[in-house]
């Protein structure tokens, strides 16, 4: 089969000043996006690393104090930003950047970029993903809205068919040409991203797979867009109608439905008010051991069990500090309570996000946005994983301190300072980024919808080819 | 004048016969209805939360007063030994005292940052930075939100006006002249006794007035439907319509300018859409990037760390160190205090009134010391945050969409100025409450019912007119500028044949 139409289309685009101008504009924007978003990532990561180092130094050099006192003194974890957040920042501007690590409480990540900014922050972050998700589709529309209408208006469509080429071939090759343009831009974007990643510290090992995944996702999306653009152009009576229809679809898919999907999710699966949420946690805390309330019945039972376990009749004869063990029992109980309540909120938020995933069968933009965030490590699941790792770190840290108190002092001793080595040998928090497989797990729905859109749009173009008349 | 009436009459006929425009208008009305529903749903939830808090606060205070009235005498009301007549008991019982940034009805039309920023703060005689669970800043009072929903944004009436309305205007104005050219009717129009640019300007002004009429009516009806009173709030309605006039004027001005370039309808549409994409996506995102790079909020970490370091060992330090600066600030309370308050003292407190009195004084002085020791860091943090909020103001002259969003947010009390005013009011209120608690504590007298009734109440001052009007000038200048450039472009081609 000849590829003459494909070549002619590309040649036409390369000679079209409008197309070249738009492509140059998009190229400039992409370059700006890379410079701006990578600079932001570098500045934040430097700042984060410096603050983390300072806080760790403060922890290891803290004033002499009792081990449980040190658990109250605590430390801070400054949440790292995934390297690929410079490509797609996802939710990073909307989640907290600091987690307080201290005894008895599970602290959420607080202090987000958006919370520190005025209403303008809600207009979004400038990144390559913004350009790829919103502007390249517009570019494809501007390049292809008159792909068929101009041929019809100029009378060349009929001439093409008289050469023995089928309508189907014309439409396919035109769609192929626009896909090739988008693919070329995509390749240059991913190539630039890859170069930046290679030159960055802590790039990890699975970035090639992540970039490949991004290439497949955006490539499939542009395939859908190119096919739909040519199909709409073929069905439209004139270029104006085609342009208006395509812009309407773009607006609906890229701006309207994403907001609608998120809003519907919120209405279907409401989140508790913070006050109610905290009251429920406090209520459950009161049902268990409170290490700092020695008079409570539960604490007395706990101490009595200890006495039985060690076969002694007074706490003074215990070989361990009962207060230290009580503190740890308190910590374990509270951790279970907070895990239960925070887990319920995480699940509810995932249900809200699930609405967008289901709606991706109506709007492929939602699949692309979701998969792009997952592959960049900037979706909600990654944030939950990060907070859980911090919570695990906190539990290990506090357990170590409470155990030290229990085994290095006697009951009632809240003042003997711990050895300095207890603090200096504390490991600092290290985030272990999940693998690409983890990032895509449970993503079958959105992957399926994107592939479904690709298949259906191709079938639809075949149907369009049969339906339109040559004149 | 008759010619102008003819032009407008003809334009009205053209518009009413255009099905696409009817469709777009229908879509605008549908999005208006959904935006109202959505905005009302979000604000109802916030209202419910705030009402719940205020109810809890009021019921606690009422129960406390009625208990006081029933007993008529100092009495033990809690098993752990706190007394009804003790300031410390007041502190424990009135811990639900809240300062609330209640949303107005307008907030349902423009949610702004109300879904991100905390809308209430518990205020007591303790330090603002330390609640029962430890060190805390105001962000801890923010509601639980789905960050992916925040990324997607709110579908409120402001979104429709800022994002979608320009598209309706572009649809109304992109072919105001080019269509005549493409249909071959332009030479006929050129025979009218007025220049072509007058014709274009009158058509656009007429369409502008239609759009303004429609969105003004939708706004006023919308306000009424979400529980506001357009009559009582005429000033805000006028402000809202004024901003809309400037913003829509900017977009109609662009159409006027683009029409002067005499391109095809498709090229005009492309040019206008390019400006729309730049104004709604690219410029705001670039300004956001500039703001985050130029104004990092690292001083918050300094504050948090300062709070941690300050609380570490503050209770255990000798009294002169804690009480000295307090007595220097409040000499009226100066007295001799014991050097230390030990664990043994804690045990004996229930049976020793002097120790109990000292404990209460030390409790409030400790909180005062905490606030005093970190006040410098807090001021630096607050100033950094305000500088960041205001960073966007520098870009208003090139950022019409964000300027419009901020203007509507300020009018609705959902903007950063209202948020700042709330934070300032909370700080002032906290000082009032702290001074009140200190006065009661150091008086060492049993409290009376009148003392409870006199407990300070929170009041949020109304926003100043300057705050709500501050975005008018850049929008006016931008709007005037595009019309002026359009007019100059038309003047340059007065001799060009039609």
């Amino acid at each position: 089969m000849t590829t003459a139409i494909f070549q002619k289309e590309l040649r036409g685009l390369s000679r079209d000043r409008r197309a070249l101008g738009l492509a140059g504009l998009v190229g400039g924007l992409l370059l700006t996006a890379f410079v701006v978003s990578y600079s932001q990532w570098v500045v934040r990561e430097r700042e984060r690393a410096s603050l983390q180092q300072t806080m760790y130094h403060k922890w290891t050099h803290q004033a002499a104090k009792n081990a449980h006192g040190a658990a109250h003194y605590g430390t801070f974890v400054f949440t790292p930003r995934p390297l690929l957040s410079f490509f797609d920042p996802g939710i990073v501007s909307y989640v907290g950047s600091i987690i307080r690590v201290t005894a008895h409480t599970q602290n959420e990540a607080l202090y987000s970029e958006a919370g520190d900014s005025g209403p303008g922050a809600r207009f979004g972050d400038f990144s390559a993903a913004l350009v790829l998700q919103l502007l390249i589709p517009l570019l494809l529309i501007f390049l292809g809205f008159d792909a068929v209408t101009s041929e019809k208006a100029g009378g060349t469509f009929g001439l093409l068919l008289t050469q023995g080429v089928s309508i189907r071939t014309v439409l396919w090759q035109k769609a192929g040409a626009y896909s090739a343009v988008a693919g070329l831009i995509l390749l240059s974007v991913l190539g630039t991203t890859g170069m930046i990643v290679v030159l960055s510290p802590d790039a990890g090992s699975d970035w090639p797979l992540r970039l490949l995944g991004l290439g497949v996702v955006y490539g499939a999306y542009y395939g859908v867009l190119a096919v739909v653009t040519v199909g709409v152009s073929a069905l439209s009576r004139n270029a104006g109608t085609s342009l208006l229809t395509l812009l309407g679809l773009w607006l609906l898919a890229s701006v309207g439905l994403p907001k609608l999907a998120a809003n519907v999710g919120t209405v279907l699966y409401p989140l508790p008010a913070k006050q109610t949420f905290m009251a429920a946690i406090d209520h459950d805390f009161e049902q268990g051991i409170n290490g700092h309330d020695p008079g409570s019945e539960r604490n007395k039972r706990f101490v009595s069990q200890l006495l039985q376990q060690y076969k002694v009749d007074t706490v003074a004869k215990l070989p361990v500090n009962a207060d230290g063990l009580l503190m740890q029992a308190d910590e374990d109980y509270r951790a279970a309570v907070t895990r239960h309540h925070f887990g319920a909120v995480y699940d509810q938020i995932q249900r809200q996000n699930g609405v967008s995933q289901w709606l991706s069968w109506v709007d492929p933009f939602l699949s692309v946005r979701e998969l792009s965030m997952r592959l960049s490590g900037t979706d909600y699941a990654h944030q939950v994983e990060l907070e859980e790792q911090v919570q695990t770190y906190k539990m290990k840290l506090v357990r170590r301190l409470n155990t030290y108190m229990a085994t290095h002092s006697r009951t009632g001793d809240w003042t003997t300072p711990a050895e300095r080595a207890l603090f200096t040998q504390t490991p600092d928090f290290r985030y272990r980024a999940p693998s690409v497989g983890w990032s895509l797990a449970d993503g079958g729905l959105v992957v399926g919808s994107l592939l479904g859109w690709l298949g259906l749009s191709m079938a639809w173009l075949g149907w369009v080819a049969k339906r339109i008349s040559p004149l | 004048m008759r010619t102008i009436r003819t032009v407008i009459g003809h334009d009205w006929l053209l518009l009413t016969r255009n099905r696409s425009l009817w469709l777009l208008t229908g879509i605008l009305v549908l999005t208006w209805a959904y935006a109202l529903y959505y905005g009302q749903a979000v604000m109802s939830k916030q209202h419910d939360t705030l009402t719940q808090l205020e109810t809890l606060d009021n019921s606690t205070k009422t129960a406390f007063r009625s208990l006081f009235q029933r007993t008529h005498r100092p009495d033990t009301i809690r098993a752990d030994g706190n007394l009804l007549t003790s300031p410390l008991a007041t502190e424990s019982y009135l811990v639900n005292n809240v300062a609330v940034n209640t949303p107005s009805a307008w907030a349902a039309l423009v949610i702004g940052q109300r879904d991100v920023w905390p809308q209430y703060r518990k205020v007591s005689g303790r330090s603002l930075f330390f609640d029962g669970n430890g060190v805390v800043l105001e962000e801890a009072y923010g509601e639980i939100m789905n960050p992916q929903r925040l990324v997607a944004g709110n579908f409120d009436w402001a979104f429709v006006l800022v994002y979608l309305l320009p598209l309706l205007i572009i649809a109304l104005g992109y072919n105001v002249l080019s269509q005549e050219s493409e249909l071959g009717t332009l030479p006929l129009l050129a025979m009218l006794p007025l220049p072509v640019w007058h014709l274009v300007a009158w058509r656009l002004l007429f369409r502008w007035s239609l759009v303004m009429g429609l969105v003004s009516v939708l706004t006023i009806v919308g306000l009424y439907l979400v529980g506001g009173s357009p009559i009582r709030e005429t000033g805000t309605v006028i402000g809202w319509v004024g901003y809309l006039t400037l913003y829509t004027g900017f977009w109609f001005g662009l159409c006027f300018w683009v029409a002067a370039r005499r391109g095809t309808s498709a090229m005009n549409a492309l040019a206008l859409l390019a400006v729309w994409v730049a104004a709604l996506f690219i410029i705001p995102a670039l300004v956001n990037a500039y703001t985050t790079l130029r104004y990092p909020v690292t001083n918050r970490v300094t504050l948090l760390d300062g709070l941690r370091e300050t609380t570490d060992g503050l209770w255990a330090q000798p009294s002169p160190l804690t009480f000295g600066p307090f007595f220097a600030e409040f000499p009226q309370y100066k007295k001799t205090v014991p050097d230390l308050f030990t664990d043994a003292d804690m045990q004996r407190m229930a049976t020793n009134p002097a120790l109990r009195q000292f404990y209460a004084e030390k409790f409030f002085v400790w909180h005062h010391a905490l606030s005093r020791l970190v006040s410098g860091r807090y001021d630096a943090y607050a100033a950094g945050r305000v500088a960041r909020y205001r960073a966007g103001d520098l870009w208003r002259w090139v950022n019409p969409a964000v300027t419009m969003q901020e203007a509507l947010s300020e009018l609705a009390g959902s903007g950063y100025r209202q948020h700042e005013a709330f934070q300032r009011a909370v700080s002032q209120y906290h000082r009032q409450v702290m001074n009140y608690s200190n006065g009661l504590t150091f008086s060492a007298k049993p409290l009376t019912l009148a003392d409870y009734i006199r407990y300070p109440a929170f009041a949020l001052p109304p926003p100043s007119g300057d705050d709500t009007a501050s975005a008018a000038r850049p929008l006016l200048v931008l709007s005037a500028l595009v019309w002026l450039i359009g007019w100059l472009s038309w003047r340059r081609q007065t001799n060009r044949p039609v």
Side-chain angles (χ1 to χ4, degrees):
Chain A
M1 188 176 73
T2 175
T3 56
I5 298 164
F6 175 82
Q7 289 173 24
K8 174 246 166 197
E9 204 67 28
L10 285 181
R11 204 176 303 121
L13 287 173
S14 69
R15 289 173 184 165
D16 184 347
R17 280 170 52 199
R18 182 188 66 178
L20 291 176
L22 286 172
L25 189 67
V26 168
L29 286 173
L30 276 168
L31 195 65
T32 314
F34 276 121
V35 171
V36 167
S37 56
Y38 187 64
S39 307
Q40 280 178 302
W41 183 84
V42 169
V43 168
R44 282 176 189 141
E45 272 308 287
R46 266 191 208 147
E47 187 183 273
R48 184 196 67 79
S50 157
L51 290 170
Q52 191 70 53
Q53 202 176 3
T54 306
M55 289 304 156
Y56 183 65
H57 182 266
K58 281 192 168 238
W59 171 263
T60 54
H61 291 76
Q62 64 185 291
K65 56 172 73 73
N66 158 275
H68 187 72
H72 275 275
Y73 175 75
T75 187
F76 297 93
V77 165
F78 300 91
T79 57
R81 292 193 167 209
L83 175 56
L84 280 176
S85 67
F86 80 83
F87 172 82
D88 185 347
I91 64 165
V92 293
S93 295
Y94 294 88
V95 290
S97 54
I98 305 173
I99 303 178
R100 178 96 166 90
V101 172
T102 183
H104 306 301
T105 54
Q106 176 177 343
N107 293 305
E108 55 193 323
L110 287 175
Y111 318 115
S112 65
E113 289 282 352
D116 283 328
S117 310
R122 305 298 282 275
F123 283 71
D125 294 312
F126 200 60
S127 66
L130 173 91
V131 179
L132 291 183
Q133 288 172 17
L134 289 177
L135 305 187
I136 302 289
L138 268 184
L139 176 72
L140 280 176
I141 289 171
F142 290 153
L143 294 182
F145 74 95
D146 60 351
V148 180
T149 51
S150 64
E151 300 273 11
K152 282 184 181 174
T156 49
F157 197 59
L159 281 178
L160 272 175
L161 300 181
T162 57
Q163 305 298 311
V165 186
S166 67
I167 295 178
R168 189 186 169 85
T169 307
V170 173
L171 299 189
W172 273 116
Q173 294 203 13
K174 280 180 179 280
Y178 297 120
S179 300
V181 171
L184 204 64
I185 296 172
L186 181 60
L187 274 179
S188 61
V189 169
L190 294 178
T192 312
T193 308
M195 277 195 294
I196 294 173
V197 171
V198 169
L199 296 173
S200 301
D202 301 329
S205 58
D206 65 355
W207 65 267
L209 279 176
R210 289 182 181 273
L211 288 193
L212 181 67
L214 287 168
V216 171
V217 167
Y218 282 101
Y221 185 48
Y222 296 151
V224 173
L225 291 176
V227 164
V228 169
T229 302
V230 172
V232 168
S233 179
L235 287 175
S236 300
R237 272 182 299 181
N238 55 52
T241 313
S242 169
L243 182 62
L244 271 182
T245 310
L246 288 166
L247 287 174
L249 287 174
W250 174 84
L251 187 69
L252 190 68
S254 311
V255 183
L257 275 174
K259 273 188 196 288
L260 200 67
N263 297 170
V264 169
T266 315
V267 174
L268 287 180
Y269 302 106
L271 291 169
K274 181 76 160 281
Q275 167 76 9
T276 316
F277 176 73
M278 296 311 292
I281 290 181
D282 285 344
H283 172 267
D284 286 355
F285 279 172
E286 284 168 15
Q287 311 306 310
I289 282 179
N290 177 351
H292 287 295
D293 186 6
S296 83
E297 280 307 313
R298 286 188 186 82
N299 289 10
K300 284 177 186 166
R301 276 204 300 277
F302 180 83
V303 173
S304 153
Q305 281 169 3
L306 271 183
L307 296 178
Q308 280 178 14
Q309 186 187 335
Y310 285 97
K311 297 183 175 58
V312 291
D313 54 358
T314 62
V315 288
K317 292 179 185 169
L318 280 171
V320 290
N321 185 336
D323 294 327
L325 296 176
L326 201 57
M327 289 301 127
Q328 189 52 41
D330 169 306
E331 198 67 47
D332 291 337
Y333 174 74
R334 284 171 185 251
V337 168
T338 47
R339 198 179 305 120
H340 168 74
H341 286 280
F342 274 85
V345 167
Y346 293 155
D347 290 347
Q348 191 74 337
I349 290 179
Q350 290 294 29
R351 278 185 214 108
Q352 290 186 351
N353 295 338
V355 172
S356 293
Q357 292 174 19
W358 278 108
L359 280 173
S360 67
W361 285 90
V362 180
D363 178 3
F365 173 86
L366 293 170
S367 319
V368 173
R369 195 186 61 180
E370 172 78 21
L371 289 167
S372 179
M373 283 196 293
R374 282 175 182 238
L375 287 162
S376 304
T378 54
D379 67 333
Y380 182 66
H382 281 82
Q383 177 66 19
V384 173
E385 170 63 15
L386 168 65
E387 291 191 22
E388 283 181 354
Q389 286 190 26
V390 175
Q391 175 68 1
T392 306
Y393 171 76
K394 175 233 155 176
M395 286 304 292
K396 280 185 184 168
L397 176 69
V398 174
R399 181 181 295 280
R400 190 163 171 263
L401 295 165
N402 286 336
T403 306
Y404 181 93
M405 180 183 173
T407 53
H408 289 73
S409 61
R410 290 304 172 97
T411 307
D413 180 359
W414 289 89
T415 51
T416 304
E419 293 168 63
R420 180 137 301 279
L422 180 68
F423 305 137
T424 54
Q425 288 171 10
T426 304
D428 199 3
F429 174 73
R430 287 270 181 277
Y431 175 59
R432 293 177 310 283
S435 68
V436 66
W438 183 95
S439 303
L440 290 175
D442 304 330
L445 190 64
V446 276
V447 171
S449 79
L450 190 57
L451 293 177
W453 264 97
L454 191 61
L456 283 173
S457 60
M458 286 173 165
W460 176 73
L461 193 65
W463 175 82
V464 170
K466 284 181 194 160
R467 194 166 178 270
I468 62 166
S469 69
L471 299 173
Chain B
M1 200 60 201
R2 181 189 281 180
T3 314
I4 293 167
R5 272 206 301 275
T6 309
V7 166
I8 290 174
H10 178 253
D11 203 40
W12 172 247
L13 278 178
L14 267 182
L15 295 176
T16 50
R17 287 173 188 170
N18 188 330
R19 279 191 202 166
S20 302
L21 284 179
W22 279 110
L23 181 70
L24 284 176
T25 310
I27 291 172
L28 182 76
V29 175
L30 277 178
T31 54
W32 164 79
Y34 176 74
L36 286 189
Y37 160 74
Y38 173 74
Q40 179 71 345
V42 172
M43 279 304 116
S44 290
K45 191 178 174 197
Q46 199 165 96
H47 257 297
D48 289 348
T49 304
L50 297 179
T51 308
Q52 206 180 347
L53 281 161
E54 285 182 312
T55 308
L56 181 67
D57 180 15
N58 289 332
S59 64
T60 312
K61 284 173 181 163
T62 307
F64 203 38
R65 284 173 195 170
S66 97
L67 186 64
F68 204 102
Q69 280 167 325
R70 275 206 311 277
T71 56
H72 292 292
R73 60 187 172 76
D75 197 3
T76 301
I77 55 167
R78 274 176 57 158
D80 61 7
N82 274 332
L83 295 176
L84 182 63
T85 51
S86 134
L88 203 56
T90 312
E91 162 59 31
S92 302
Y93 277 90
L94 300 188
V95 79
N96 290 317
N97 186 54
V98 280
V100 169
N101 184 7
T102 309
S104 68
W106 286 98
L109 303 187
V110 48
I111 296 167
Q113 286 277 73
R114 271 191 176 270
D115 53 348
V116 173
W117 289 330
Q119 301 301 319
Y120 68 92
R121 188 85 197 256
K122 291 194 171 181
V123 180
S124 69
R126 301 174 187 204
S127 167
L128 264 186
F129 309 122
F130 197 90
D131 70 2
N133 294 319
V135 166
V136 66
L137 294 182
E138 52 261 35
E139 284 83 348
Y141 290 95
E143 287 300 313
I144 303 166
M145 295 304 295
N146 176 356
Q148 284 189 210
R149 188 191 77 65
L150 293 176
V151 172
N154 290 310
F155 202 121
D156 55 7
W157 181 227
F159 163 73
V160 177
L161 293 176
V162 174
Y163 273 78
L164 306 185
L165 186 60
L167 291 174
L168 177 69
I169 295 171
I170 290 172
L172 280 167
Y174 79 102
N175 62 355
V176 65
L177 183 66
S178 54
Q179 189 183 29
E180 303 290 354
S181 189
E182 284 154 14
L183 292 173
T185 48
L186 187 56
L188 292 175
L189 288 177
M191 292 164 70
L192 287 170
L194 80 169
V196 172
W197 76 268
H198 275 211
L199 174 88
V200 171
W202 277 112
R203 273 185 166 181
L204 288 174
L205 288 171
F206 173 60
R207 293 173 187 200
W208 185 3
S209 62
L210 287 181
V211 167
M212 276 310 301
L214 177 66
V215 292
S216 300
V217 168
L218 289 178
T219 299
I220 291 167
V221 175
L223 176 65
Y224 175 73
L225 291 177
V226 297
S229 165
I231 295 168
R232 263 203 320 272
E233 296 173 58
T234 314
T236 314
V237 171
I238 291 171
W240 185 283
V241 172
Y243 274 124
L244 271 177
T245 308
L246 295 177
Y247 187 60
T248 51
F250 169 77
W251 290 101
F252 274 108
L254 277 177
C255 293
F256 182 60
W257 178 9
V258 166
R261 299 177 60 82
R262 303 283 188 99
T264 61
S265 295
M267 284 308 288
N268 290 350
L270 281 181
L272 289 165
L273 284 167
V275 176
W276 182 78
V277 168
L280 271 302
F281 297 97
I282 297 168
I283 296 173
L286 279 171
V287 171
N288 286 341
Y290 162 80
T291 306
T292 52
L293 284 171
R294 177 75 180 75
Y295 297 94
V297 196
T298 42
N299 46 24
R300 181 177 38 222
V301 179
T302 317
L303 170 62
L304 285 167
D305 184 41
L307 282 164
R308 179 179 66 154
E309 297 295 337
T310 307
T311 49
D312 188 34
L314 184 61
W315 181 262
Q317 75 177 8
S319 296
L321 288 175
T322 321
F323 279 76
F326 178 80
F327 287 149
E329 191 176 340
F330 301 102
Q332 66 271 36
Y333 302 137
K334 193 163 183 181
K335 62 194 283 194
T336 308
V337 288
D339 263 6
L340 290 172
F341 186 82
T342 62
D343 287 346
D345 292 335
M346 192 88 180
Q347 303 295 325
R348 290 189 292 123
M349 200 169 67
T351 54
N352 186 331
L355 275 177
R356 198 159 57 233
Q357 171 64 21
F358 176 60
Y359 177 81
E361 287 165 358
K362 180 158 181 170
F363 179 88
F364 287 110
V365 170
W366 183 91
H367 279 279
H368 179 270
L370 177 62
S371 293
R372 181 177 50 78
L373 289 168
V374 296
S375 64
R377 292 183 194 213
Y378 180 76
D379 291 345
Y381 156 63
R385 198 178 52 190
V386 171
R388 190 175 162 119
Y389 289 156
R390 292 181 182 235
D393 291 359
L394 301 170
W395 298 90
R396 282 176 161 177
W397 305 93
V398 290
N399 206 359
V402 174
T403 306
M404 180 64 178
Q405 174 73 35
E406 289 188 345
L408 297 183
S409 299
E410 291 304 337
L411 276 174
S414 306
Y416 76 78
R417 286 181 172 82
Q418 168 83 4
H419 185 61
E420 270 180 57
F422 175 64
Q423 303 286 0
R424 280 196 304 272
V426 165
S427 295
Q428 280 170 8
Y429 177 55
H430 175 251
R431 270 195 295 279
Q432 264 183 290
V433 171
M434 215 169 188
N435 289 341
Y436 185 75
S437 292
N438 289 336
L440 294 178
T441 307
F442 281 88
S443 71
K445 286 185 218 153
L447 302 191
T448 64
L449 181 60
D451 291 324
Y452 291 111
I453 293 169
R454 276 202 301 269
Y455 198 82
F458 177 71
L460 182 61
S464 83
D466 289 350
D467 285 350
T468 51
S470 60
R473 197 185 304 164
L475 278 178
L476 177 66
V477 169
L478 274 173
S479 184
L481 194 66
V482 285
W483 279 97
L484 179 69
I485 297 172
W487 179 70
L488 290 173
S489 304
W490 278 106
R491 277 189 49 121
R492 277 174 51 200
Q493 48 177 286
T494 41
N495 296 325
R496 182 175 161 176
V498 287

